[in-house]
Amino acid sequence: MRLGTPASDETTKYRLQLAELTIPTAGTTVTANYTLENGDWGKTRVLDGTTTSVAGAKGFTSIDFSSADVSDTPVWIEIDLGADRAIGSVTLHPRTDASGAGGGSAGFPVDFTFQTRTDGGTTYTTARTVTGEPNPNGAAQTYPLTSANGRYLRLRATRLGRPASDETSRYRLQLAEIRIK
């Protein structure tokens, strides 16, 4: 292995220095209550490192609902981080292989919360609530969390975004990737 150029304040010392490195481990578990699993979609694909939706790795999709309002049966996806840790922000990458009906991104949530649960805990703490989120038009959206800590991070949607242009009456939660810092 070769190291890069030394820092300007230590011109003769070579070091491996990283500000941050987040890699899901092989033991990372992703669970969801209403998931569709097939050759393109799967709950674990939300952590595969692919921030766009491509054949064989489109990301996560829920089953379809007849209405955007799913407040009676909220859709959630949860990531087990392996141990309690601080969570500074969550970035949601929208589905990119199909547009939403009427334009923009398909399946991006409108009303949702980020919740955490500690290792061994039985209750969730709401880290952030988002309501009326505008359609991101294909751009990743980052949500800072204040004082969030836990082993489990859950995205819980109560209002879904635009259906995909090829299934205009089917509402889903759809994301290409979730990044946690």
Side-chain angles (χ1 to χ4, degrees):
M1 175 184 345
R2 293 175 46 110
L3 299 174
T5 305
S8 60
D9 61 338
E10 296 183 310
T11 58
T12 61
K13 295 185 180 179
Y14 292 84
R15 302 175 191 270
L16 173 61
Q17 296 178 316
L18 302 172
E20 181 172 351
L21 179 63
T22 304
I23 300 173
T25 65
T28 299
T29 304
V30 180
T31 56
N33 63 342
Y34 296 114
T35 184
L36 175 68
E37 303 277 331
N38 63 30
D40 287 320
W41 300 99
K43 59 186 176 280
T44 59
R45 288 192 177 98
V46 80
L47 295 177
D48 65 4
T50 305
T51 60
T52 58
S53 301
V54 297
K58 290 185 179 181
F60 168 80
T61 187
S62 69
I63 62 171
D64 63 283
F65 295 86
S66 60
S67 167
D69 183 355
V70 292
S71 56
D72 289 340
T73 56
V75 178
W76 57 262
I77 182 167
E78 180 174 288
I79 300 166
D80 179 347
L81 302 170
D84 285 339
R85 61 169 260 205
I87 304 168
S89 67
V90 179
T91 300
L92 302 179
H93 295 265
R95 176 184 183 183
T96 60
D97 68 308
S99 64
S105 297
F108 200 84
V110 175
D111 296 343
F112 55 97
T113 58
F114 293 107
Q115 301 174 313
T116 60
R117 182 169 56 97
T118 58
D119 190 10
T122 58
T123 59
Y124 287 86
T125 300
T126 298
R128 182 165 181 174
T129 299
V130 178
T131 56
E133 179 69 6
N135 190 286
N137 293 306
Q141 302 297 303
T142 298
Y143 303 92
L145 305 182
T146 304
S147 302
N149 190 4
R151 175 176 177 164
Y152 303 93
L153 175 74
R154 179 178 280 194
L155 167 65
R156 182 179 178 271
T158 55
R159 178 167 294 281
L160 305 174
R162 296 177 184 167
S165 57
D166 62 347
E167 51 180 22
T168 59
S169 62
R170 296 180 177 184
Y171 294 85
R172 302 174 187 268
L173 172 61
Q174 296 180 312
L175 298 169
E177 184 84 358
I178 296 176
R179 296 271 172 99
I180 302 164
K181 291 188 176 182

